[in-house]
Amino acid sequence: MSVKMDHIGIAVQSLQQAMPKYRALLQKEPDHVEEVPGQGVKVAMFRAGDSSIELLEPLGPDSPIARHIAKRGEGIHHICLAVENMDAVLKEAEQAGLEIIPQKDDRGAGGHRIAFLHPKSTGGVLIELVEK
Ligand code: ZN
């Protein structure tokens, strides 16, 4: 069962302002741009080698990304690991003392199943898991 680095999520106020900078830095257009209403975000995904950079813009003031920016400003919001078997990984994580954040909608960008591990149980980093 292999677990791989999938992407790093960066909270930004405005994709319109952030995208041209990342386009210049990464020398490419985003691989996809998508609204994910269930997570309250609009995302722009830039593949960079084996992993990606995901820019996250809040869809509204209630978005978790809006709350993150209000509290901490723009910046790294989460890292994401790709897993093959979400149920097995969540079971192991829970047994190891990692706290799974309950959520209403477990679908992320691309319709993939996702889960989040609470930063207070991971050493201060919000970790997203995606099953691909
Ligand atoms: Zn993500």
Side-chain angles (χ1 to χ4, degrees):
M1 198 157 64
S2 81
V3 176
K4 290 181 187 155
M5 180 62 75
D6 190 78
H7 64 264
I8 295 173
I10 300 174
V12 300
Q13 291 278 15
S14 158
L15 282 183
Q16 212 189 334
Q17 283 176 25
M19 276 205 305
K21 297 173 193 167
Y22 280 87
R23 197 183 283 137
L25 178 65
L26 298 165
Q27 301 280 295
K28 63 187 296 198
E29 294 296 319
D31 294 272
H32 77 265
V33 178
E34 179 187 353
E35 281 193 16
V36 189
Q39 303 292 330
V41 293
K42 185 172 178 184
V43 307
M45 198 67 100
F46 288 86
R47 191 132 197 94
D50 289 336
S51 57
S52 300
I53 290 179
E54 175 186 57
L55 301 178
L56 300 147
E57 177 190 82
L59 283 179
D62 293 337
S63 161
I65 297 301
R67 291 199 298 270
H68 177 92
I69 291 172
K71 243 167 115 179
R72 300 193 188 85
E74 294 183 311
I76 292 178
H77 177 259
H78 65 268
I79 68 167
C80 179
L81 301 171
V83 303
E84 286 168 4
N85 183 338
M86 180 71 88
D87 291 320
V89 171
L90 287 179
K91 200 174 152 202
E92 291 234 11
E94 210 161 26
Q95 280 168 1
L98 293 162
E99 187 186 319
I100 298 155
I101 300 175
Q103 50 177 356
K104 282 177 260 164
D105 188 343
D106 70 351
R107 295 290 149 181
H112 297 295
R113 184 179 170 198
I114 58 170
F116 286 97
L117 302 176
H118 201 287
K120 74 183 177 199
S121 67
T122 62
V125 182
L126 178 63
I127 296 182
E128 176 184 15
L129 302 174
V130 62
E131 186 178 73
K132 287 190 161 170

